Amino acid sequence: MKRVLYTLVWLAISLLAGTAGHYIFKVDFWIASLIAGLALIANGLIADWEDRRRDRGP
């Protein structure tokens, strides 16, 4: 259930960022949504990597 919620939040943020990019920066909606989605994925991967690194200790 948690994974579904995270996926829906990711989708909502991507679509909202696509809308903002389309109206503010005049970028194609789907391209702006794709860029936002990829940025969210990269952010999640970096946070996961930092958590694993912190768990290992100094």
Side-chain angles (χ1 to χ4, degrees):
M1 184 67 180
K2 201 174 196 181
R3 189 174 203 78
V4 172
L5 179 65
Y6 288 158
T7 303
L8 290 175
V9 169
W10 175 83
L11 182 63
I13 291 171
S14 296
L15 293 177
L16 287 173
T19 302
H22 178 70
Y23 287 111
I24 295 172
F25 302 112
K26 304 298 183 206
V27 177
D28 185 49
F29 172 80
W30 294 111
I31 293 174
S33 295
L34 178 68
I35 291 170
L38 291 174
L40 287 170
I41 290 170
N43 186 27
L45 291 172
I46 291 170
D48 186 45
W49 174 75
E50 287 177 343
D51 287 345
R52 278 190 271 128
R53 198 173 107 202
R54 188 176 312 130
D55 289 343
R56 265 191 272 151

